[in-house]
Amino acid sequence: MFHYYALATVCYAYLRDVPLSKDDDLADLFYIRRQRSFQQRSKWHNRGWTLQELVAPRHVLFLSQTWGVLGSKADFAISLEYITGVPEQVLRMEDNFANFSIAQRMSWAATRVTTRIEDEAYCLLGIFGINMPTLYGEGRNAFRR
């Protein structure tokens, strides 16, 4: 999937738990000191598989629960760095994520959760340039493999 995201012209991230009404001020919606953090506003930032959706594509547009455009990952790069740990330069495509150490890239996934145990490893394959088949049922052995 990572490869497909990287080839996409734009990736749409639907944040079903982020409302947007005509009265919302977008600067306030995402500005961490004035509002709850973007992370608290959306579960999207805590899901394992969404890391590749954030890092791989050049352009990501965030959509509210009413499908309104909230902004792009470039618009919110500073807030996203604070929330996800992914450096602003990576989010703005000014630096390649592969230039960061394995430890740094692992830290971007450290607080993310997945439904299946194996997905803790599988959602990182593209981030580390690894190609291997998924074997659901192997549990924590996915990391060893």
Side-chain angles (χ1 to χ4, degrees):
M1 288 302 299
F2 187 91
H3 182 68
Y4 292 108
Y5 288 122
L7 293 176
T9 302
V10 65
C11 180
Y12 296 93
Y14 174 65
L15 308 181
R16 69 177 180 196
D17 51 357
V18 176
L20 177 66
S21 71
K22 63 181 179 180
D23 298 327
D24 279 332
D25 177 76
L26 289 181
D28 282 346
L29 182 63
F30 289 97
Y31 194 70
I32 292 170
R33 293 183 186 193
R34 290 191 210 153
Q35 295 283 342
R36 295 184 294 167
S37 74
F38 196 12
Q39 183 176 23
Q40 291 172 328
R41 302 273 322 230
S42 181
K43 293 178 184 174
W44 189 88
H45 297 292
N46 297 323
R47 293 179 41 230
W49 285 104
T50 59
L51 179 58
Q52 64 184 346
E53 295 172 18
L54 180 64
V55 173
R58 180 164 290 283
H59 302 286
V60 177
L61 280 180
F62 294 100
L63 306 173
S64 72
Q65 66 184 198
T66 58
W67 295 94
V69 175
L70 297 169
S72 70
K73 77 173 178 178
D75 295 334
F76 302 119
I78 294 170
S79 295
L80 288 167
E81 178 178 15
Y82 175 79
I83 294 160
T84 66
V86 178
E88 178 185 355
Q89 304 91 319
V90 171
L91 297 170
R92 294 185 190 276
M93 304 304 257
E94 295 166 354
D95 198 353
N96 190 315
F97 68 91
N99 293 335
F100 291 80
S101 71
I102 290 172
Q104 287 172 305
R105 287 182 271 164
M106 284 294 288
S107 74
W108 303 343
T111 61
R112 292 176 178 265
V113 295
T114 60
T115 305
R116 301 190 68 159
I117 293 171
E118 297 89 348
D119 285 338
E120 292 175 6
Y122 299 157
C123 72
L124 298 174
L125 296 177
I127 303 288
F128 295 107
I130 298 170
N131 293 303
M132 69 179 207
T134 56
L135 299 173
Y136 285 99
E138 69 178 326
R140 298 250 179 243
N141 289 333
F143 262 109
R144 284 190 213 121
R145 225 173 22 106

